[in-house]
Amino acid sequence: MEMLGNRRLGVTQQQAWDALNDPETLKKCIPGCDKFELTGDNTYSVALAVKIGPVSAKFSGKVMLSDIVAPDGYKLTFEGQGGVAGFAKGSSSVSLKPVAGASDAAPVVAVTDSAPATEAAPVAATSAGCELDYTVQAQVGGKIAQLGQRLIDGAAKSTADDFFKRFEAEMQSRYGPPPAPPAEAAAEAPAEKAGVMSGLMKKMGFGKKDGEDAATPGDAA
């Protein structure tokens, strides 16, 4: 099985990196995870319940991190045993990068001695979010392998979607909602809506003063 994806996260690259290296956060966000504990240097003991079609099992195994480049990403390898249900093993790579808005604003932070302090990057520039890219290659055996590739791929995608929904909810509860759009963009929408509503009301005959229809430029003279 192979899977890859890209996700936009509403937190900074550093915040996402810290969360992806926190066993408690991962335990909360991985569907069916009962245990995610550090047991050695970049090695974790993991236990989780898995259901793929008619097959349900509890897997226990380990996850090992390597090629760690903070806060840009790492590679992980995993292996687990699910008794008669079978086994799973494979590897995954995870990479983080700031979104274009965050990276474009970064040089403004380095102000010169002559520049006023107000020219420093605004807070929103450092909170523009980040992107997460991931790839997964896995092998399964036993009863799970007999279920068919389509069913296995569907279950893997559903698990990934569930993980990121939980991860986003956890990040929002920890750091608050993603930053709002710029004030200029937010102000344009109500003004445009008001203009449309005003035109509609006039077409329907509402909002006119007495004698407005009869008035002409010549009357004003």
Side-chain angles (χ1 to χ4, degrees), residues 11-18 69-73 95-98 126 129-131:
V11 292
T12 66
Q13 181 180 357
Q14 186 62 52
Q15 289 168 341
W17 173 261
D18 292 341
V69 181
D72 297 330
S95 64
L96 292 166
K97 60 183 178 182
T126 60
C130 65
E131 288 187 359

Side-chain angles (χ1 to χ4, degrees), residues 49-165:
V50 176
K51 188 178 190 308
I52 303 177
V55 177
S56 299
K58 288 190 174 182
F59 279 78
S60 59
K62 60 182 178 178
V63 172
M64 295 155 287
L65 304 185
S66 61
D67 300 339
I68 302 171
V69 181
D72 297 330
Y74 54 59
K75 179 180 179 181
L76 62 86
T77 55
F78 57 88
E79 57 184 47
Q81 292 289 338
V84 295
F87 68 88
K89 63 180 180 178
S91 63
S92 175
S93 63
V94 177
S95 64
L96 292 166
K97 60 183 178 182
V99 296
S103 59
D104 290 343
V108 184
V109 177
V111 296
T112 62
D113 294 337
S114 59
T118 54
E119 292 185 9
V123 175
T126 60
S127 306
C130 65
E131 288 187 359
L132 182 150
D133 292 300
Y134 66 92
T135 62
V136 180
Q137 297 87 33
Q139 296 178 332
V140 296
K143 287 185 178 181
I144 292 179
Q146 299 172 10
L147 295 176
Q149 195 65 44
R150 180 176 297 180
L151 192 58
I152 295 173
D153 290 347
K157 183 180 183 303
S158 177
T159 299
D161 290 341
D162 196 1
F163 170 83
F164 284 109
K165 286 179 182 178

Side-chain angles (χ1 to χ4, degrees), residues 181-190:
E184 295 83 355
E188 288 176 4

